[in-house]
Amino acid sequence: MNDDLLLLIISSPSGAGKTTLARDLLRHFPEMMFSVSHTTRKPRASEMDGKDYHFIDRARFSRMISQGRFAEWAEVHGNLYGTSLSEIERCKRNNQRGILFDIDYQGARQIKAVRADAVSVFVLPPSIDELKRRLYARGAEDEKTIEIRFNNAKREIEHYGFFDYLIINDGLEEACARLRSIVTAELSRRSRVASSAETLLRQIKIV
Ligand code: ADP
Ligand code: 5GP
């Protein structure tokens, strides 16, 4: 994989707001590509196949696992989710500066194992009551599904220590600004801008 490419992982307990933050980020950074995962979860009313996820059944997902087609995959809230190698190839072919992975802590660990320079951000809700309120307010799932997700929140938050950055998503504007700042800083790393400096040096030699 291109070493200059920013691999940005965003994770959170369900309902903390990571999809909302990710969308804002992609609006501000057209040079970042969203990695479209595969999942066995049923689509929500607002979701589009191929844009939010590739929605597939368990048999197909299992086949893809045995064919070694995932860079990472995990079971989350009773469904399977994974990032395919071909999705990462698609992002690379687009010649963008970064890829955004909206994945859970298990997937984050798998990506970090092969790319230690991947940057990981964990989004926290301001309180547990507010997390529950947001899960219900989203109105995307039935009560049983919401309770499963809410009950998994503790285990997910326990992994916060694995992440490079933590963002408390209280006021949305403030949280979006923090995420944008992280990306701005990471895209300004010397390694990612060095080729521009080298181009200037070559021009000086020619003059
Ligand atoms: P996640 O992707 O982490 O599961 P979402 O981005 O879907 O969470 O957000 C869950 C719900 O909370 C959505 O209805 C969203 O509009 C809302 N939400 C997100 N951030 C905030 C915030 N800072 N304040 C209030 N509501 C928020
Ligand atoms: P949701 O069903 O709310 O879209 O996502 C549920 C959880 O699955 C979230 O924590 C989300 O980040 C995670 N997830 C989505 N795609 C992937 C993926 O490709 N791999 C892994 N490991 N987790 C994913």
Side-chain angles (χ1 to χ4, degrees), residues 68-73 82-86 88 101 107 110-111 114:
R69 288 173 59 190
F70 285 115
E72 64 75 30
W73 68 272
T83 306
S84 69
L85 292 166
S86 59
I88 294 178
F101 300 93
Q110 293 171 58
I111 297 278
V114 289

Side-chain angles (χ1 to χ4, degrees), residues 10 12 14 18 37-38 41 44 47 53 72-74 76-77 81-83 102-104 106-107 138 149 156:
I10 182 163
S12 79
S14 187
K18 82 188 149 313
S37 296
H38 284 71
R41 168 167 80 60
R44 294 175 185 144
E47 288 176 329
Y53 282 107
E72 64 75 30
W73 68 272
V76 192
H77 314 312
Y81 296 84
T83 306
D102 172 342
I103 58 179
D104 85 321
Q106 305 170 84
R138 181 164 65 192
R149 285 169 176 254
E156 292 176 314

Side-chain angles (χ1 to χ4, degrees), residues 31-57:
E31 64 269 51
M32 296 284 298
M33 292 265 299
F34 179 65
S35 165
V36 181
S37 296
H38 284 71
T39 184
T40 61
R41 168 167 80 60
K42 296 275 168 284
R44 294 175 185 144
S46 61
E47 288 176 329
M48 257 176 67
D49 189 31
K51 178 171 169 281
D52 299 288
Y53 282 107
H54 299 290
F55 294 98
I56 59 174
D57 61 22

Side-chain angles (χ1 to χ4, degrees), residues 2-6 97 115 117 185-198:
N2 173 4
D3 282 343
D4 292 347
L5 202 60
L6 169 61
R97 294 192 69 202
R115 278 293 297 260
D117 63 323
E186 292 291 341
L187 287 176
S188 307
R189 280 193 181 276
R190 184 181 62 223
S191 60
R192 297 202 172 94
V193 193
S195 61
S196 300
E198 292 297 330

Side-chain angles (χ1 to χ4, degrees), residues 172-186:
L172 185 58
E173 255 322 297
E174 156 97 22
C176 288
R178 281 181 190 271
L179 183 60
R180 294 201 293 264
S181 303
I182 291 167
V183 172
T184 300
E186 292 291 341

